[in-house]
Amino acid sequence: MNTPQSAHRIVVKVGTSTLAYPNGRLNIRRIEQLVKVLADLKNSGREVLLVTSAAIGVGAGLLGLKERPHDVGGKQAAAAVGQCELMYTYDKLFAEYGHQTAQVLLTRDVVEDAIRKSNAANTLARLMEFGALPIINENDTVATEELEFGDNDTLSAIVAVLSHADLLILLTDIDGLYTDNPRENPEARRIDVVEKITDELLHAAKGAGSPLGTGGMSTKLHAAEIATAEGIPTVVMSGENPELLYDLLDGAAIGTLFKAKERA
Ligand code: GLU
């Protein structure tokens, strides 16, 4: 049975609300902490793949827009600007710790076609063999509606499956799944472990994400459904203090753990 402690290959997904300020500019302190922890996890012998959001949000910030554009062309243009800034920042910071990054941009059609899907899986496998650290995002600059995953929670689950990961971690702006929306209901309590994703949970998770990001708790549940069905446990936790990743991997009850389904 896969557990966070025993995980060797880990996919970490980080959302826009964790990486950027509400004005769309990068939260440099947060990114530095995250990169330091991920680099250290790699040094300890684990394998890490990072699924990053924030291309559109950061692009909008750099372009001085007040909010994320709503039209397709605007989103694509903002992503082209933001993705550069993201990779520049990650590459520079990971290089400080001696790790080589690799940019991987995917669209949904890649994983819907058997040959292209297997090519993408091979590329990820080779990057892992080479010891590189793949940094993955949706290829927002070319992804139009019929090509897009739509949110990086879903993308990260697909990447976890494609890369045969042992664990998927979704870093977000809340410390797990609650019985109700904790921002509105003070009685809401955090759920430590989810054995099975039920309709009741899906209902508790409704509600949108932040003004700059796309996901919310329901896309995280959807991601957990995809990953756990393939035997990959999934954790939803706060990205505010990336050092909590150490505690999680040491076996502490951090965030919400969605247990993997036993495979026949
Ligand atoms: N791919 C989008 C971006 O980089 C993010 C999608 C999401 O936040 O789920 O801006």
Side-chain angles (χ1 to χ4, degrees):
M1 177 76 165
N2 280 336
T3 63
Q5 265 171 304
S6 64
H8 176 66
R9 182 170 292 180
I10 304 169
V11 173
V12 177
K13 183 260 169 177
V14 58
T16 306
S17 58
T18 303
L19 291 170
Y21 291 106
N23 64 8
R25 300 308 296 253
L26 279 181
N27 184 331
I28 293 169
R29 178 167 59 178
R30 183 74 56 66
I31 297 195
E32 283 189 345
Q33 291 165 338
L34 177 68
V35 167
K36 188 172 175 183
V37 172
L38 297 181
D40 199 25
L41 291 180
K42 251 179 94 56
N43 283 354
S44 75
R46 302 204 200 229
E47 291 177 327
V48 178
L49 298 94
L50 177 63
V51 175
T52 187
S53 296
I56 300 174
V58 166
L62 288 172
L63 292 168
L65 310 179
K66 291 220 164 31
E67 58 175 6
R68 211 183 140 89
H70 297 290
D71 62 305
V72 176
K75 280 196 247 182
Q76 293 182 322
V81 173
Q83 183 64 28
C84 275
E85 173 79 357
L86 275 177
M87 279 315 294
Y88 169 72
T89 307
Y90 282 128
D91 199 38
K92 188 167 66 136
L93 294 174
F94 276 113
E96 281 179 15
Y97 298 107
H99 289 292
Q100 183 57 52
T101 61
Q103 175 179 251
V104 178
L105 297 174
L106 296 172
T107 42
R108 200 181 64 206
D109 53 325
V110 172
V111 296
E112 283 175 348
D113 175 273
I115 295 176
R116 297 176 72 198
K117 181 176 170 183
S118 117
N119 284 339
N122 284 341
T123 305
L124 290 175
R126 295 290 280 152
L127 285 170
M128 303 319 293
E129 274 171 42
F130 291 146
L133 195 150
I135 299 187
I136 301 141
N137 195 359
E138 177 148 19
N139 194 355
D140 296 305
T141 296
V142 299
T144 46
E145 224 164 82
E146 61 289 359
L147 295 183
E148 68 184 14
F149 295 101
D151 66 86
N152 275 9
D153 296 325
T154 308
L155 173 64
S156 68
I158 289 168
V159 165
V161 175
L162 268 185
S163 64
H164 306 287
D166 307 308
L167 178 66
L168 170 63
I169 302 174
L170 303 168
L171 296 179
T172 186
D173 55 1
I174 186 160
D175 64 344
L177 174 67
Y178 279 73
T179 49
D180 195 1
N181 186 341
R183 291 175 179 127
E184 286 163 12
N185 178 358
E187 309 274 287
R189 20 164 225 96
R190 199 183 81 213
I191 304 169
D192 288 345
V193 178
V194 172
E195 303 279 344
K196 189 172 184 299
I197 298 169
T198 58
D199 287 347
E200 202 188 334
L201 279 185
L202 289 166
H203 183 76
K206 65 186 184 315
S210 69
L212 285 167
T214 341
M217 201 44 86
S218 52
T219 54
K220 289 179 180 57
L221 255 71
H222 180 56
E225 267 184 318
I226 297 173
T228 56
E230 295 294 325
I232 306 167
T234 301
V235 174
V236 174
M237 62 183 272
S238 167
E240 199 180 321
N241 175 8
E243 296 221 340
L244 285 178
L245 285 168
Y246 290 124
D247 299 340
L248 173 78
L249 298 174
D250 281 343
I254 305 283
T256 298
L257 168 67
F258 296 82
K259 286 200 174 170
K261 291 206 183 116
E262 293 289 352
R263 313 202 59 200

